[in-house]
Each structure stands twice: as C-alpha cells, then as structure tokens.
Amino acid sequence: MNAMAGSGQGAGNGRREAGGAPGREGVRDGRADVSPTPGNESGTADALRPGDDARRARPHPGDPPPERGGSSRPPGGDAALIGFARALRAAGVDASAERVHAYLRAVDQLRPGMRADVYWAGRLTLCGGRDDLERYERVFAAYFGSAEPAGSAVAAAPRPRLRLLTREGAVPRPGARRERHEGPPTATLASSTEVLRHRDVGGLSTAEREQLRRLLAAFTLRGETRRSARRRPARRGQVDPHRTVRELLRRGGEPARLRRHARAERPRRVVLLVDVSGSMTPYADALLRFAHAAARGAPTEVFTIGTRLTRVTRELSHRDPDLAMAALAAAVPDWRGGTRLGELLREFLDRWGQRGMARGAVVVILSDGWERGDPELLGTQMRRLHRLTHRVIWANPRKARPGYAPLAAGMAAALPSVDAFVEGHSLAALERLAAVVRGGAAADLLEGAGHA
C-alpha cells in the first residue's frame, strides 16, 4: 500500500466504500487515512472539490455538526438576516417572530457566510405556503444580489463526493481558494442592503437606485382587513341551518355533524395619492414604484396629484415595472409642476370619492404638503375626506429631516384630519408605511398627527 501511494497509483484502493462516515481522505506518512474534521484547514482544505460546499443545499443526516466556535457567525449577521425578514414581511410573507427565531437558529447550525445555506434555511423556515415561494425568490435575489439563481443552483446539487488527495508533491491549483469563495460573502451583500434601507432616496447614486428598484418590486400592500357581509364555511362559528339541513337530507335523516359558517374577511381598498410636483422630484420615482408594487396585490387605486388629478391605476397594471413607469410618464401631463392639493382633493372627492371608491377605504397621501392654493380649502376637503374614509395616512418624505416641523400652511391645515403621519424618505420608511396601512398597532409604527 505504501508503494502504491508513493507512486501515485493507490487512489482507487485508498477510497472508502459508500455508506461510510463522511470525511476527507488524504495521504499521511505514505498511507491513506481519513481526517475526522471536515472544516480542517491544515493543508487538506481542498479535499472537497472547489465549489461543492457552495452548491450544497443542506446538511445530510450523516454529517457531523459544525464546530460551535465563537466566530461562526459573521459580524453583523443577525442584523442582516433580520433585515431580510423585514423585507419578506413587507413583500407579504408571514414571517412571524417565531419563524424568524427558527431561521436564525437554522443559519447558526449551518454556515452563515454561504449563500446556499442562508437561502435554504430561510425557505424552509420563513415560507408558509406556495404563495410565499415566489415572493421569497424575488426578495432573496434583491436583498442578497442576483449573481446566480439561488433556487436552481442549490436545488439540483449532488451530494459532495470525496476524492483522494496527496499532501506531498501535490501542487495546489491556482485560484482554488478563490473559486470556493467566489463573489462577496452573504453578510457583506446583506449589510450593504441593510444600509441602503435607511438611506434617503433623494441622495442615492445610480447603482443604489437600481438596487432600490429591485427591492421595491418585491413589495406588496394590503389594506386593513374587515369583516364582510358574506359568510363562508368554517369549522367554528354560528350554525349554518341551510347546509345542515341539506346534509341531513343527504344522509336520509341520520344524525350528521352541524355545519357552521363565519363572516368572510377581506382587505379594505387602498387609495394612493402620489404628489408628482417639482418639490417631490427626488422621491417621485421611488414612490410611484412603490405604488406599482401595491397595485399588483389587493384592490388598490393610484392617482397622481400636482396641478392636475390623473388616475394611473391602468398604467400601473403592467407587470414589468419599467413598462409601467413608461406608460405612466406618457399619461401624466403635469410632471414637476406646481401643487394644488385642496382643489385636486375636492375634484377627487366629487368625481370618485362619493361614488364609493374612497368610502370605507384607507387613503394614503404621499406628499411634502407644500400647497400653492388656499390652505383653508385643503383643510375643508381633508375633513370631508376623513368623514368618508376608514383611515387617512399622510407620508411626508421631509418629515425625517432634523428639526422638521409641519409649519407649512398646507401641512398644518391637513394634519388635524390625519390619522397617521409617517415618514416616506427611505425603503425602511415605506416598509413602516405598509405596516401602518395593514393596521399595525405597534407604537413605533403609528405616529399620530398630534405628536408631529
């Protein structure tokens, strides 16, 4: 055996039979043996073929557990993963606190710096149904980068095979280590996205704006749920006499289980009024893309306001965000013009609101509140809107600036009729806005007009 190993011909004899304990094989003192530590870095780090561990989907039952050293999780890893969970929640995935804790534990048991492990840990713990899978794919690609499709790369990955490696005389392949760590680590990608979430949209570079657009494409916006007059079959609730009698007749009068029904729940309509005047130019593109993502989900109506009122729900119905933005640019005639909030709000209520569009809905006004018209008219129309709708939410991108106070005449006139006054300058602020629209009751999400 020593002679064969020394001459380089003992590779086949030194290989372990299938079904043995996983490990890496090498040659020590002229004979083949197995190293018991898969993470050993002392000269046998290339026992696995380069790229195998990057493609592995999840650990196999026979694999030894990873070493629980103090440096297994990269710096800032928890913050990056929690930010990813927030982005999933904003996209409509029910990533509850229990699921997030399970996700963090799963990543900690695997390898936080590996893209495949982070992908599968989140997919198995954060997704609750088929509808969540597509959203998860979009958010993961936007949050951690889309250099390679994580789902297809790891789903068909074979189990890593071991090969005999000679320590003495073996020339390491140049770039082998670089192949294993190709691309930036997951923590680096996530941390850059987490920083971007809190950046002011008006000061982003071209590359950052492109990344922000990918993240906004994964958004969903659902209004606060309400109980409708319609009833649906349910396991608990009031007895449904009609279905119960039909069941008894079907059984020929034999005893049968009581059939029950309950009120169906459906989201309230959301109406977005997006200011496209000159003062809102740095934020208009991001807010309209946010509106485009919102229009794809629950019943949502979108209007632009400036010097004219334009209904753009139809233009935003395109699935592709760029096509939707192109159609919207052709339909809106008052880009970067003035602001006549009071007159346009009166037009909206006279033409659309009284016909039922705003009745019982959640109306969101995305504007900085700079009014060129009569502030008293704006105050009057805001009180009228407040009586007609379920809730009125105002998102002001300038609210986050240090020392901001709603001293402008238009904003001061509108605030008494606003149920929630929130920020709208960043991706994180838009996520909080989506939570407020859904009826989030957390104290840090709702900020009343009186606290501004």
Side-chain angles (χ1 to χ4, degrees):
M1 181 66 182
N2 293 340
M4 295 177 65
S7 59
Q9 300 176 358
N13 297 332
R15 188 180 303 276
R16 292 178 60 90
E17 295 294 331
R24 289 186 297 178
E25 301 183 4
V27 173
R28 296 181 180 176
D29 300 329
R31 54 195 178 89
D33 61 11
V34 179
S35 174
T37 57
N40 184 19
E41 297 292 337
S42 59
T44 59
D46 293 331
L48 288 177
R49 292 183 302 172
D52 279 344
D53 54 351
R55 294 191 303 267
R56 186 167 61 179
R58 45 184 169 287
H60 294 276
D63 293 343
E67 295 184 7
R68 307 293 299 159
S71 61
S72 61
R73 186 182 293 278
D78 281 346
L81 297 178
I82 292 174
F84 173 54
R86 288 198 199 100
L88 283 176
R89 197 177 294 115
V93 178
D94 186 16
S96 61
E98 292 78 5
R99 290 181 181 272
V100 174
H101 285 307
Y103 175 47
L104 295 177
R105 289 196 300 269
V107 173
D108 193 39
Q109 291 296 326
L110 300 175
R111 295 162 298 180
M114 298 305 298
R115 179 189 178 90
D117 287 3
V118 174
Y119 170 84
W120 281 109
R123 176 162 173 164
L124 295 176
T125 56
L126 298 176
C127 296
R130 289 182 176 271
D131 295 339
D132 294 340
L133 296 180
E134 180 183 358
R135 299 168 185 164
Y136 182 85
E137 296 285 346
R138 289 190 283 112
V139 176
F140 188 90
Y143 198 87
F144 293 105
S146 56
E148 58 182 5
S152 60
V154 296
R159 184 185 178 94
R161 293 182 296 177
L162 305 179
R163 61 184 177 87
L164 190 65
L165 184 67
T166 304
R167 174 178 293 184
E168 297 181 1
V171 179
R173 292 184 299 168
R177 305 283 290 187
R178 290 192 298 271
E179 289 180 358
R180 292 182 61 191
H181 301 284
E182 183 178 358
T186 299
T188 303
L189 289 168
S191 61
S192 63
T193 306
E194 184 67 17
V195 172
L196 178 64
R197 288 180 62 250
H198 300 276
R199 291 278 305 277
D200 192 299
V201 174
L204 298 182
S205 63
T206 304
E208 290 172 335
R209 285 184 179 274
E210 185 62 31
Q211 186 178 3
L212 177 67
R213 290 170 181 173
R214 293 196 299 269
L215 291 169
L216 287 173
F219 253 84
T220 57
L221 186 66
R222 294 176 60 86
E224 185 177 351
T225 58
R226 64 179 180 87
R227 298 178 64 187
S228 66
R230 295 179 178 273
R231 297 180 180 270
R232 58 175 178 79
R235 292 187 177 182
R236 297 181 180 180
Q238 298 179 352
V239 176
D240 187 347
H242 301 286
R243 294 178 61 240
T244 302
V245 170
R246 286 197 298 268
E247 182 66 16
L248 291 173
L249 293 176
R250 190 177 67 84
R251 292 176 174 268
E254 295 293 331
R257 178 178 298 178
L258 295 177
R259 301 297 176 177
R260 300 181 181 274
H261 59 189
R263 290 277 185 90
E265 292 186 351
R266 60 182 59 186
R268 293 183 180 273
R269 179 184 289 108
V270 178
V271 180
L272 301 178
L273 303 177
V274 186
D275 190 346
V276 294
S277 62
S279 61
M280 289 289 292
T281 300
Y283 305 97
D285 180 75
L287 295 179
L288 288 171
R289 288 179 181 271
F290 170 78
H292 169 259
R296 298 199 316 264
T300 305
E301 294 287 340
V302 185
F303 293 81
T304 61
I305 53 178
T307 58
R308 296 181 58 180
L309 177 71
T310 307
R311 186 184 183 186
V312 293
T313 307
R314 180 189 227 172
E315 285 73 16
L316 294 180
S317 62
H318 292 283
R319 187 175 183 85
D320 185 82
D322 295 329
L323 291 178
M325 292 298 106
L328 187 143
V332 177
D334 56 337
W335 285 98
R336 302 182 180 182
T339 310
R340 298 186 302 152
L341 295 177
E343 296 179 18
L344 297 183
L345 193 56
R346 180 175 59 185
E347 180 183 348
F348 167 75
L349 291 173
D350 291 342
R351 185 176 180 183
W352 307 101
Q354 297 293 349
R355 294 169 55 183
M357 179 180 292
R359 191 179 300 276
V362 178
V363 176
V364 183
I365 303 175
L366 300 106
S367 172
D368 54 7
W370 288 7
E371 170 67 298
R372 288 190 176 183
D374 185 6
E376 293 184 2
L377 176 61
L378 176 59
T380 302
Q381 299 305 317
M382 286 294 297
R383 288 190 293 270
R384 182 182 170 195
L385 177 68
H386 189 266
R387 290 192 300 266
L388 190 64
T389 63
H390 175 68
R391 292 179 70 198
V392 178
I393 302 172
W394 194 299
N396 191 333
R398 304 186 184 277
K399 184 177 183 293
R401 296 186 177 182
Y404 171 83
L407 301 179
M411 197 74 252
L415 274 181
S417 302
V418 173
D419 296 305
F421 185 41
V422 299
E423 302 170 356
H425 68 293
S426 66
L427 179 62
L430 294 178
E431 291 175 359
R432 290 193 294 270
L433 171 61
V436 173
V437 172
R438 288 194 300 267
D444 59 335
L445 295 180
L446 290 178
E447 300 184 43
H451 295 68

